[in-house]
């Protein structure tokens, strides 16, 4: 990624860093909480992890707090993008696996070092400061913190865009080398954001607190055949409060929602070298996701006439319905170096998924009865070949299948406006997992001054999960649209496209960069009116 110190504006959150990567765009709901999109794949279609396995997730159903808001951008040293469903080691993915690597003291350095910086932006009166301090010995540590205070910014025509927020976060890492080949490290992060305005959503965030703890162990050079063993366990929790206190409809109705999401998991991986030309990574992983929380409404006026009610009426709406999603995975990926020019890679992954809503809402029970539990067994795999005809040249052809289980929003959401439109959305616990079958061709050329990289891909996605307007589901709350959207499986969707990036070094300190991308999606299923879709 680019050095933040050389950017024209500081990244407001980690999602800002993706805007300069070819193939990426962001979903922007205000000045904060930018959600990355890659080749049209978004949300859980992108497997976003930190430091090779740690995961966190949003507590808000409208994604006011995507995974990219829970770690400060000043901690990030690089972003690794594993395009497509061509990697089985870090979890199931249909669109891409994104590994966000945070800062570590470089091997070989000793002593204490760090930095302090700050800045101010006139548009929005943005103020920020951040620092980092670290030491490397047998026992090493790293401390990092940042503070941001941004107001509403003005668009080009002078329109004020509600986008203010305050954010404070810090992290601490402590590592110890047990032996020259064994290391243990513990990481702690805490982030606190307040008074976040979302111009593109119906509510604002009053509070968003994140707590992340992880423990890593690594053992190298175990035997001539078993060259490495890595283990990670982690836990994260997000507490999120949103309300309409700053919105015009507050005079009619007060609404406040307190939700939480906890994410626990771990992984164990061994690196095996059965021969001089073969390397195998195999292991298992586990992730347990739990979400809960309600929305409380106090109706003060008649929603039709606007007249003040004699006695305000209170309601409680179940958002997450005490829902759980557990994923147990086992994987193996083999890389075989055929000769100095050819490398072949093959991988296979098996995921066992269990989900349940322990306190399902009345509407969900009416639609699906007690069928809110589901169990799945999903198979993903990949096969690729890398050809390097000469120094600085790479050609790669890859084919893969990645399977994504439906997330908790798609399974259990109950009449909430979670999209970029005004429809209420209704979940479907009977959704089939979404499977992406993709083929991709890549070319890379690297010299001292020139870098050129291009990829072209085609993806056939079966059981694509989408939300369609369902006339059999009337809107539950007041609004202009009479019906709701229900999550369903589309039979087939085809996505295709390409991206490229060129970098030419003009001097030691100046480069010319040119990049671009194109993605096209097509529903291959004959569009049938929702009323004619067979009962679920």
């Amino acid at each position: 990624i680019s050095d933040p110190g050389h950017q024209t504006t500081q990244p407001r959150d980690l999602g800002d860093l993706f805007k300069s990567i070819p193939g990426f765009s962001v979903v922007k709901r205000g000045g904060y909480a930018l959600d990355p999109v890659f080749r049209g794949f978004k949300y859980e279609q992108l497997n976003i992890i930190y430091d090779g396995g740690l995961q966190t997730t949003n507590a808000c159903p409208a994604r006011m707090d995507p995974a990219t808001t829970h770690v400060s951008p000043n901690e990030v040293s690089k972003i690794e993008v594993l395009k497509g469903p061509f990697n089985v080691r870090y979890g199931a993915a249909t669109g891409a696996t994104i590994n966000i690597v945070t800062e570590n003291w470089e091997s070989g350095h000793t002593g204490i070092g760090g930095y302090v910086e700050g800045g101010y932006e006139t548009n929005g009166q943005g103020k920020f400061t951040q620092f980092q301090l670290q030491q490397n010995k047998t026992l090493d540590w790293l401390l990092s913190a940042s503070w941001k205070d941004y107001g509403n910014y003005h668009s080009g025509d002078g329109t004020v865009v509600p986008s203010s927020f305050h954010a404070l976060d810090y992290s601490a890492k402590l590592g110890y080398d047990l032996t020259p080949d064994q290391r243990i490290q513990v990481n702690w992060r805490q982030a606190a954001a307040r008074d976040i305005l979302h111009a593109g959503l119906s509510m604002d965030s009053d509070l968003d607190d994140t707590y992340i703890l992880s423990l890593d162990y690594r053992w190298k050079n175990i035997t001539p055949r078993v060259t490495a063993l890595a283990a990670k366990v982690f836990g994260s929790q997000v507490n999120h409060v949103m309300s309409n206190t700053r919105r015009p409809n507050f005079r009619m109705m007060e609404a406040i929602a307190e939700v939480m999401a906890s994410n626990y998991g771990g992984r164990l991986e061994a690196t095996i070298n059965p021969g001089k030309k073969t390397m195998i990574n195999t292991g298992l992983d586990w992730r347990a996701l739990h979400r809960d929380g309600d929305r409380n409404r106090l109706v003060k006026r008649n929603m039709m006439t606007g007249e003040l009610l004699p006695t305000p009426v209170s309601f409680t709406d179940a958002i997450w319905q005490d829902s759980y999603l557990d994923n147990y995975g086992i994987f193996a990926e083999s890389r075989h170096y055929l000769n100095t020019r050819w490398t072949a890679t093959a991988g296979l992954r098996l995921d066992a998924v269990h989900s349940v809503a322990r306190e399902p809402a009345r509407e969900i029970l009416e639609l699906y009865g007690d069928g809110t539990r589901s169990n799945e067994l999903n198979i993903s795999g990949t096969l690729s070949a890398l050809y390097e005809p000469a120094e600085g040249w790479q050609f790669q052809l890859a084919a893969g299948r990645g399977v994504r289980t439906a997330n908790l929003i798609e399974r259990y959401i109950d009449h909430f406006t979670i999209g970029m439109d005004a429809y209420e959305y209704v979940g479907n616990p009977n959704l089939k997992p979404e499977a992406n079958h993709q083929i991709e061709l890549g070319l890379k050329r690297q010299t001292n001054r020139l870098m050129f990289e291009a990829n072209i891909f085609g993806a056939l996605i079966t059981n694509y999960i989408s939300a369609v307007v369902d006339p059999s589901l009337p809107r539950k709350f007041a609004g202009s649209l009479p019906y709701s959207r229900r999550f369903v499986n589309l039979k087939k969707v085809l996505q295709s496209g390409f991206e490229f990036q060129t970098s030419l070094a003009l001097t030691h300190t100046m480069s010319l960069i040119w990049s671009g991308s194109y993605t096209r999606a097509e529903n291959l299923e004959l569009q049938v009116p929702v009323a004619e879709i067979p009962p679920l």
Side-chain angles (χ1 to χ4, degrees), residues 23 39 454-457 496-500 516-520:
R39 296 176 173 177
N455 297 79
I456 183 171
F457 70 94
S496 58
F498 66 88
E499 69 254 354
F500 68 89
S517 63
Y518 170 80
T519 301
R520 180 176 183 270

Side-chain angles (χ1 to χ4, degrees), residues 117-133:
E117 65 179 4
Y120 175 80
E121 296 180 14
T122 57
N123 192 354
Q125 293 77 53
K127 302 174 285 293
F128 73 92
T129 183
Q130 53 197 30
F131 87 91
Q132 191 173 101
L133 187 64

Side-chain angles (χ1 to χ4, degrees), residues 22-56:
F24 276 92
S25 60
V26 295
V27 176
K28 189 174 183 179
R29 300 175 177 88
Y32 189 73
L34 307 181
D35 221 347
V37 179
F38 180 66
R39 296 176 173 177
F41 293 99
K42 58 185 179 180
Y43 307 155
E44 276 75 9
Q45 292 175 325
L46 301 179
N47 179 29
I48 299 177
I49 61 175
Y50 291 91
D51 296 325
L54 186 152
Q55 290 181 304
T56 182

